[in-house]
């Protein structure tokens, strides 16, 4: 089967992003409100002194936010883009994080971490088969009783968002060319087969996305373009996450003790 994109496409994309955005929080995501909410949703799943691995850390923006919140956390982070890791090392001059170049498809740690997390990384793998390999490697890397915090894109949220947009006469937002969103029931079932139960789900961006991607474009005067810098988005970003109207969400999987 022909895949939607190749590994080379992904490597080229993130080499360009690394050159364009350097150490900025806008690297890999233009919308800083999304970025802030993403980190806010992650932090309650971590604890001081835990041993943590971040998969596909990009330029290390989130990694350094985690370190700021939990100064004594033991955190390692990797990405397969050398340019992203060069940027990440600039954010960590004292080498408190062990940043390294690595491929999640080759991750071979065993029972090493209390928590592994990923933010919009596994969705960039070219197929569900590769995604299953990555999930298997992540689960193997967890200690018994450890947790995988999966902040990735799921089709259900995008479909719900587009159904709401359709009701208001708005065009659907397509899945980006470089994403391969997850089927939620299939993901949960696969993780169960690896001995992991889904213990928590958080559609943390649902309120913000419903506001910024459904209400705001519908409210705009005819012909005016939606800007993510809109003041209305300050309000939408503060909304509670009702419903399931954003592809990105957080699933917590706990490995059997
Ligand atoms: C959307 S970006 C997110 C980066 C980071 N998590 C962030 O929040 O900015 C996806 C990242 O996954 C990395 N990536 C893609 N495939 C990978 C793989 N097989 N192994 C490790 N990293 C990978 C890319 O290089 C890119 O930096």
């Amino acid at each position: 089967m022909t895949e939607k994109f190749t590994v080379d496409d992904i490597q080229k994309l993130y080499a360009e992003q690394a050159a364009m955005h350097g150490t900025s929080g806008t690297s890999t995501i233009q919308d800083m409100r999304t970025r802030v909410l993403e980190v806010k949703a992650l932090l309650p799943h971590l604890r001081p002194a835990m041993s943590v691995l971040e998969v596909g850390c990009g330029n290390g923006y989130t990694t350094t936010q985690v370190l700021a919140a939990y100064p004594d956390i033991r955190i390692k982070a990797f990405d397969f883009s050398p340019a992203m890791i060069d940027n990440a090392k600039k954010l960590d001059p004292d080498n408190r994080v062990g940043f390294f170049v690595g491929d999640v498809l080759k991750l071979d740690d065993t029972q090493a971490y209390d928590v592994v997390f990923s933010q919009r990384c596994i969705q960039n793998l070219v197929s569900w088969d590769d995604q299953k390999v990555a999930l298997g490697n992540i689960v193997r890397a967890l200690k018994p009783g450890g947790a995988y915090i999966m902040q990735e894109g799921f089709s259900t949220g995008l479909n719900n968002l587009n159904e709401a947009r359709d009701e208001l006469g708005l065009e659907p937002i397509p899945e980006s060319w470089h994403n391969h969103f997850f089927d939620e029931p299939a993901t949960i079932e696969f993780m169960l087969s690896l001995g992991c139960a889904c213990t928590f789900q958080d559609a943390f961006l649902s309120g913000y996305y419903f506001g910024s991607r459904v209400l705001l474009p519908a409210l705009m005067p005819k012909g005016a373009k939606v800007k993510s810098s809109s003041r209305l988005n300050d309000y939408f970003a503060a909304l509670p996450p009702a419903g399931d109207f954003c592809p990105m969400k957080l699933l917590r999987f706990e490995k059997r003790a």
Side-chain angles (χ1 to χ4, degrees), residues 10 14 27-29 35 38 54-62 78-81 84 102-105 118-125 178-179:
I10 294 293
Y14 290 111
S27 175
T28 82
I29 192 153
R35 169 71 92 182
E38 193 176 54
E54 181 180 3
V55 170
C57 61
N59 71 355
Y61 180 86
T62 295
F78 72 90
D79 196 284
F80 80 166
S81 162
M84 283 289 183
D103 184 342
V104 66
L105 295 173
S118 66
Q119 293 184 325
R120 294 171 281 104
C121 167
I122 314 300
Q123 67 189 37
N124 281 167
L125 301 183
H178 51 87
N179 284 332

Side-chain angles (χ1 to χ4, degrees), residues 92-129:
D92 182 36
D94 300 330
N95 199 19
R96 293 171 66 206
V97 181
F99 283 115
F100 62 99
V101 176
D103 184 342
V104 66
L105 295 173
K106 298 190 180 131
L107 177 67
D108 60 1
D109 290 334
T110 301
Q111 300 194 1
Y113 305 100
D114 299 303
V115 169
V116 176
F117 74 89
S118 66
Q119 293 184 325
R120 294 171 281 104
C121 167
I122 314 300
Q123 67 189 37
N124 281 167
L125 301 183
V126 301
S127 65
W128 173 227
D129 280 346

Side-chain angles (χ1 to χ4, degrees), residues 54-231:
E54 181 180 3
V55 170
C57 61
N59 71 355
Y61 180 86
T62 295
T63 334
T64 49
Q65 298 280 310
V66 166
L67 203 57
Y70 298 100
D72 66 345
I73 210 156
R74 290 166 293 143
I75 187 162
K76 290 204 279 181
F78 72 90
D79 196 284
F80 80 166
S81 162
M84 283 289 183
I85 293 297
D86 283 348
N87 288 336
K89 286 181 175 168
K90 287 181 199 149
L91 283 178
D92 182 36
D94 300 330
N95 199 19
R96 293 171 66 206
V97 181
F99 283 115
F100 62 99
V101 176
D103 184 342
V104 66
L105 295 173
K106 298 190 180 131
L107 177 67
D108 60 1
D109 290 334
T110 301
Q111 300 194 1
Y113 305 100
D114 299 303
V115 169
V116 176
F117 74 89
S118 66
Q119 293 184 325
R120 294 171 281 104
C121 167
I122 314 300
Q123 67 189 37
N124 281 167
L125 301 183
V126 301
S127 65
W128 173 227
D129 280 346
D130 275 6
Q131 290 174 328
K132 286 192 282 190
V133 172
L135 293 174
N137 290 347
I138 287 170
V139 172
R140 194 186 51 250
L142 284 172
K143 295 178 187 171
Y148 170 41
I149 310 302
M150 178 178 191
Q151 287 184 294
E152 300 282 345
F154 293 83
S155 314
T156 329
L158 182 64
N159 295 342
N160 293 342
L161 184 76
N162 282 331
E163 280 176 25
R165 284 175 62 91
D166 183 57
E167 283 184 30
L168 296 173
L170 300 166
E171 292 293 314
I173 297 176
E175 185 185 65
S176 306
W177 70 260
H178 51 87
N179 284 332
H180 190 234
F181 287 161
F182 288 85
D183 176 276
E184 211 165 312
T187 306
I188 292 173
E189 196 183 311
F190 180 69
M191 291 298 280
L192 257 182
S193 78
L194 299 178
C196 288
C198 181
T199 56
F200 182 73
Q201 293 198 35
D202 186 359
F204 62 97
L205 285 167
S206 187
Y208 175 47
Y209 264 55
F210 194 85
S212 60
R213 273 76 169 169
V214 179
L215 299 180
L216 181 60
L219 288 169
M220 291 298 283
K222 229 180 168 44
K225 270 193 105 176
V226 174
K227 289 199 206 105
S228 70
S229 60
S230 165
R231 291 293 292 166

